[in-house]
């Protein structure tokens, strides 16, 4: 079940409660669902109960408990838990092993985008300093993925009406990053947290595992190479079960799927990482998550193509789809950081 489908399911539960006279509210046009914040649980969370509590004249948690009973019986929902003042935490039924990958491939570079900040405006105020400018540029892109509008300003006077003023003053670069070239310079300035001093050194240009930028870009290039190699072998990606069901021994299954669970987990967590990067104006959070996705992909990439005389199976097609999903996330994330994703490296 995709977030859009889950949002419709939540609205359907609200509509049934209204039709049965349990809630006296106007059914909203949309229900925002997002990955749980730190301390949350389940696969997704929604604040629709808090949204409806005022119009309904009831406590948010009371509305949440009412809706939780209806959502618990909905197809595709494995569990519902009410937390905090009235958040509904939803656990999806694991009936479609390819659902996550299918969603990512369908949305492409827009995977992880939401409208949780829709209608909000931000003025990012920065000094005339290269790192501040680069951070603000990336923060603007990241805020846009959550539906917000942002513009960068050096003006200390009053901002546009209704805009939230956000001062961005990361620790300045100790040297001119232009010597690294555009992509490596942006990575050097964006990966450290704002309070950390960036390193302007040749390590960002090294093509070796110790260089996180190299691993991220290499991982993306490998996803594209796997697609080309699979085409040469006569098969394409098809989301599904990545486990090798043609073998029955535990040893074979463990070897064939090593690293796949972390790979899927890293992709599933990407929307939350993107949302947190937006809320905290912290592109470093996005950069670190891209490293996590890249490392998880590189751990299983050797299982994607058939080995020796082995014929392409459904598991190989599913693993290729998972690899392509990882590529979509890596390319989309790098784009938000203003960094190119090369198909050949």
């Amino acid at each position: 079940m995709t977030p859009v489908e889950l949002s419709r399911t939540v609205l359907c539960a609200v509509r049934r409660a209204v039709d049965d006279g349990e809630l006296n509210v106007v059914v909203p046009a949309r229900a925002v669902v997002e990955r749980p914040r730190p301390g949350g649980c389940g696969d997704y969370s929604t604040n629709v109960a808090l949204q409806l509590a005022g119009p309904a004249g009831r406590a948010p948690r009371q509305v949440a408990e009412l809706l939780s009973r209806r959502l618990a019986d909905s197809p595709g929902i494995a569990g519902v838990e009410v937390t905090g003042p009235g958040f509904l935490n939803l656990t999806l039924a694991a009936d479609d092993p390819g659902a996550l990958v299918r969603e990512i491939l369908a949305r492409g570079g827009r995977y992880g985008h939401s409208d949780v900040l829709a209608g909000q405006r931000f003025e990012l105020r920065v000094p005339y300093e290269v790192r501040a400018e680069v951070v603000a540029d990336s923060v603007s892109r990241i805020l846009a993925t959550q539906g917000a509008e942002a513009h960068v300003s050096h003006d200390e006077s009053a901002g546009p009406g209704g805009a939230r003023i956000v001062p961005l003053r990361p620790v300045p670069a100790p040297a001119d990053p232009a010597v690294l070239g555009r992509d490596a310079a942006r990575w050097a300035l964006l990966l450290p947290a704002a309070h950390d001093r960036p390193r302007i050194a040749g390590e960002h240009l090294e093509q070796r595992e110790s260089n996180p930028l190299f691993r991220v870009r290499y991982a993306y290039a490998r996803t594209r190479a796997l697609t080309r190699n699979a085409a040469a072998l006569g098969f394409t990606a098809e989301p599904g079960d990545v486990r090798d069901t043609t073998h029955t021994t535990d040893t074979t299954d463990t070897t064939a799927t090593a690293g796949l669970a972390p790979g899927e987990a890293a992709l599933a967590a990407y929307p939350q990482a993107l949302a947190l990067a937006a809320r905290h104006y912290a592109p470093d959070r996005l950069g670190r998550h891209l490293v996590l996705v890249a490392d998880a992909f590189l751990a299983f990439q050797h299982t994607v193509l058939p080995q020796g005389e082995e014929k392409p199976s459904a598991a190989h097609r599913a693993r290729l789809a998972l690899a392509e999903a990882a590529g979509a996330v890596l390319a989309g994330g790098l784009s938000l950081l203003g960094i190119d994703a090369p198909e050949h490296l």
Side-chain angles (χ1 to χ4, degrees), residues 308-342:
E309 299 300 318
E310 190 179 12
K311 300 296 184 183
S313 66
H316 290 116
R317 290 190 289 274
R319 291 175 206 155
L320 179 60
L322 181 59
E324 292 183 353
V329 167
L330 292 171
L334 285 172
S335 175
L336 293 174
L337 299 179
I339 298 173
D340 289 336

Side-chain angles (χ1 to χ4, degrees), residues 97-98 238-245 314-316 318-319:
E238 184 177 331
D241 193 340
V242 296
R243 295 172 300 174
D244 190 346
T245 57
H316 290 116
R319 291 175 206 155

